[in-house]
Amino acid sequence: MAVYNPKSLKAEEFINDDEIRKTLAYAEENKENTELIDKIIEKARPKKTENGCMCSGLTHREASVLLACEIPEKIKKIYEVAEEIKLAFYGNRIVIFAPLYLSNYCVNGCVYCPYHLKNKNIPRRKLTQEEVIAEVTALQDMGHKRLAIEAGEDPVNNPIEYILDCIRTIYSVHHKNGDIRRVNVNIAATTVENYRKLKEAGIGTYILFQETYHKESYSELHPTGPKHDYDYHTEAMDRAMEGGIDDVGLGVLFGLEMYKYEFAGLIMHAEHLEAVHGVGPHTISVPRVKHADDIDPSAFDNGIDDETFAKIVACIRLAVPYTGMIISTRETEEVRSKLLRLGVSQVSGGSRTSVGGYTEEERPRDTEQFDVSDQRSLDEVVRWLMENGHIPSFCTACYREGRTGDRFMSLCKSGQILNCCHPNALMTLSEYLEDYASEATKKIGYRLVEKELKRIPNETARKIASQNIDDIKNFNRRDFRF
Ligand code: SAM
């Protein structure tokens, strides 16, 4: 039997089934141990330091105890600390992105995904470079600056060269005042050599959802195709880091397996990356299985309700405070509202989950990867965020200034976020307001910008940000950053 070792490079040792089962038993035993629960919550709370604030995070065992706890008063406390951490490190900024589907050709048999090889209902499509330009132009016209590209796995139709061509094309499009400044990549597990090529192409985060950490279920849910290999898939982030990518994004597809098992696996994965590479995951995504062509979510036994989902998000926030959290348009406005307060730091907006969807007048349904619950336009999402006290941010500065991996973590810990991320958010929001917003959004937006400028502690940074925003408004200047 494999023995748990977070420093091992073998999937079965760093995501160790025996350790997860022991963790779940420990969590179950202690779920009413209020003394221990209080201690764990206190450990997670942000602590003031000389020049800012820091958080210790939690181990997978500690975090699992909190997730198992059902005492309403303690859950309330967990939510309060999640909000505290969110405000300490991410403030009220919410980073905005959109997915761009390049190709739905896929050779895998994932039973929850409409792109699975045997699905003959959906037309297969792959964007040409001209079509990539048209999609990116449409995304720029909405105001997007940050994309996550998505593709099925198909070595013949979507080889790495195709993905690299698309990335080059995306970065080359400059329509009016628009440009895409960060391309994150969500493609199947690949080789160190290919990860190196992605790094050289200037990608931001490499995102790969584990789907499930439960090895046996994983094999059943991925019966055929290269994705069937659990070890190769689970060890992908280590190869990505070996290839030089130091921002990686983890995720679980909730609904496939028991959520407590997945949660422990997810935190263990984060601990493993920290132990081996000295830096944890840049982001964690928390998708839930959705209806799609040929896919009925009720066919999976482990669906979770909104309350449990919120608890998972809050417990992730406490366990890995320096990891951004992403919520997509799979979720409704109502669910997104609640999760934003509990620790989510990135949302997608105005998304189309079909290949070629952004250039169609009507939302095309036939190649959608999943049903989109939040169907509002980007302008509506931006306005809604602001009306709820958030600052929509189109910032891509960290990655472009080389603040990736542990350098981003240092920024978090240094207390400079309010002098750096906050003005960057306000400057990129001002660009959005000038170039793309409706009159109503613009009005609310500039009121918010004025108010939030005053919160920049450093006087010089405040003056520069204010000057830059004047230049954005009056002299059509763009792309300022700290
Ligand atoms: N093909 C890539 C891979 O092998 O990882 C990833 C790209 S796929 C387009 C993006 C993600 O969508 C998958 O990792 C999966 O978690 C999610 N997904 C697939 N089917 C879904 C469904 N029915 N509902 C919600 N999310 C789904």
Side-chain angles (χ1 to χ4, degrees):
M1 193 172 69
V3 175
Y4 177 49
N5 176 7
K7 287 201 165 161
S8 163
L9 292 174
K10 285 195 185 140
E12 274 185 295
E13 290 174 358
F14 66 82
I15 304 293
N16 180 256
D17 180 65
D18 186 48
E19 173 57 21
I20 296 184
R21 287 178 197 283
K22 284 181 180 149
T23 298
L24 298 188
Y26 173 77
E28 196 56 29
E29 265 164 43
N30 285 291
K31 69 179 189 184
E32 285 171 6
N33 181 346
T34 50
E35 202 181 313
L36 177 68
I37 291 167
D38 283 339
K39 232 167 92 187
I40 298 174
I41 297 176
E42 275 321 300
K43 181 184 171 193
R45 203 183 280 279
K47 312 276 180 316
K48 285 242 171 307
T49 59
E50 224 172 274
N51 43 7
C53 173
M54 65 153 297
C55 261
S56 60
L58 298 175
T59 65
H60 60 276
R61 284 209 179 192
E62 292 165 335
S64 293
V65 171
L66 297 191
L67 187 65
C69 168
E70 283 163 9
I71 308 166
E73 172 209 332
K74 300 298 172 201
I75 297 177
K76 199 167 152 242
K77 238 172 115 183
I78 294 170
Y79 286 6
E80 278 165 17
V81 175
E83 284 198 55
E84 253 183 69
I85 297 174
K86 163 84 201 293
L87 285 176
F89 297 118
Y90 303 90
N92 51 351
R93 297 174 301 281
I94 299 290
V95 168
I96 309 263
F97 76 98
L100 171 59
Y101 282 76
L102 300 178
S103 166
N104 62 3
Y105 282 96
C106 194
V107 296
N108 285 314
C110 316
V111 302
Y112 49 82
C113 180
Y115 293 176
H116 68 82
L117 184 64
K118 285 195 186 141
N119 187 359
K120 304 289 176 216
N121 299 334
I122 57 166
R124 299 289 168 168
R125 252 196 98 178
K126 163 185 170 181
L127 297 179
T128 62
Q129 295 312 304
E130 286 69 35
E131 287 169 331
V132 172
I133 294 173
E135 288 280 294
V136 171
T137 304
L139 281 155
Q140 289 184 5
D141 274 341
M142 289 161 74
H144 279 292
K145 296 281 185 276
R146 177 190 284 250
L147 301 182
I149 54 173
E150 312 273 339
E153 180 167 14
D154 185 328
V156 174
N157 286 296
N158 320 328
I160 193 72
E161 289 71 27
Y162 170 71
I163 304 290
L164 295 169
D165 279 349
C166 291
I167 296 170
R168 267 190 294 273
T169 303
I170 294 168
Y171 280 133
S172 74
V173 180
H174 303 286
H175 174 61
K176 298 185 179 162
N177 277 340
D179 48 0
I180 298 301
R181 299 171 182 163
R182 177 173 178 133
V183 178
N184 296 334
V185 174
N186 184 0
I187 59 164
T190 184
T191 58
V192 174
E193 195 192 344
N194 286 348
Y195 286 125
R196 200 162 284 129
K197 289 179 184 166
L198 288 170
K199 169 76 184 172
E200 280 159 14
I203 70 160
T205 312
Y206 171 66
I207 303 164
L208 180 69
F209 300 161
Q210 178 64 28
E211 322 298 7
T212 175
Y213 284 98
H214 191 287
K215 190 169 181 171
E216 249 174 67
S217 300
Y218 183 96
S219 299
E220 286 163 18
L221 291 160
H222 307 94
T224 53
K227 196 167 171 176
H228 177 71
D229 186 339
Y230 175 88
D231 291 351
Y232 188 74
H233 188 80
T234 310
E235 292 159 9
M237 293 314 192
D238 296 294
R239 292 195 300 280
M241 285 195 163
E242 199 186 326
I245 298 173
D246 48 9
D247 282 350
V248 299
L250 305 181
V252 156
L253 186 54
F254 284 100
L256 301 180
E257 243 305 332
M258 282 167 351
Y259 71 90
K260 290 178 184 166
Y261 191 101
E262 303 293 21
F263 177 83
L266 185 62
I267 305 302
M268 282 164 82
H269 202 168
E271 288 170 334
H272 160 72
L273 296 176
E274 179 88 47
V276 175
H277 308 281
V279 51
H282 188 65
T283 55
I284 287 182
S285 301
V286 286
R288 286 195 282 189
V289 183
K290 294 277 305 176
H291 173 269
D293 183 88
D294 204 31
I295 306 298
D296 172 9
S298 65
F300 304 97
D301 302 337
N302 296 295
I304 45 172
D305 59 34
D306 294 349
E307 229 4 89
T308 309
F309 194 41
K311 201 165 149 201
I312 293 172
V313 166
C315 289
I316 294 175
R317 185 65 304 137
L318 267 61
V320 285
Y322 300 113
T323 297
M325 238 190 295
I326 302 179
I327 200 96
S328 74
T329 53
R330 289 175 182 87
E331 300 298 335
T332 61
E333 169 182 345
E334 194 192 348
V335 171
R336 300 209 310 164
S337 251
K338 180 162 188 178
L339 302 183
L340 283 173
R341 286 200 309 279
L342 294 178
V344 164
S345 52
Q346 282 192 35
V347 297
S348 44
S351 307
R352 300 238 165 136
T353 62
S354 46
V355 180
Y358 293 105
T359 39
E360 306 274 341
E361 195 73 32
E362 289 282 313
R363 178 180 295 278
R365 306 302 305 268
D366 58 350
T367 62
E368 268 191 335
Q369 202 206 1
F370 54 81
D371 284 0
V372 171
S373 296
D374 186 341
Q375 303 206 355
R376 293 170 298 171
S377 68
L378 181 61
D379 187 73
E380 287 169 315
V381 170
V382 167
R383 190 160 67 239
W384 161 75
L385 285 171
M386 297 191 297
E387 283 167 349
N388 286 283
H390 305 285
I391 306 173
S393 172
F394 293 86
C395 179
T396 52
C398 272
Y399 137 82
R400 295 162 81 215
E401 293 292 320
R403 291 190 296 259
T404 58
D406 54 352
R407 279 153 302 205
F408 169 73
M409 306 284 168
S410 316
L411 176 75
C412 277
K413 292 173 192 170
S414 70
Q416 284 308 305
I417 279 200
L418 267 180
N419 288 320
C420 184
C421 304
H422 200 68
N424 281 340
L426 298 177
M427 292 187 297
T428 55
L429 173 61
S430 300
E431 291 186 341
Y432 175 82
L433 297 174
E434 257 335 282
D435 292 337
Y436 309 104
S438 65
E439 277 313 308
T441 304
K442 203 166 166 178
K443 214 164 132 192
I444 298 169
Y446 277 127
R447 230 183 290 141
L448 181 77
V449 169
E450 282 311 311
K451 187 174 117 208
E452 292 289 339
L453 268 171
K454 299 196 180 85
R455 290 185 55 221
I456 301 171
N458 180 290
E459 202 185 324
T460 313
R462 194 165 60 240
K463 276 193 184 145
I464 294 173
S466 178
Q467 181 61 52
N468 290 347
I469 289 173
D470 279 348
D471 287 356
I472 289 168
K473 282 189 197 170
N474 303 321
F475 299 104
N476 201 30
R477 290 192 56 198
R478 296 292 177 267
D479 204 11
F480 295 103
R481 60 181 182 265
F482 282 93

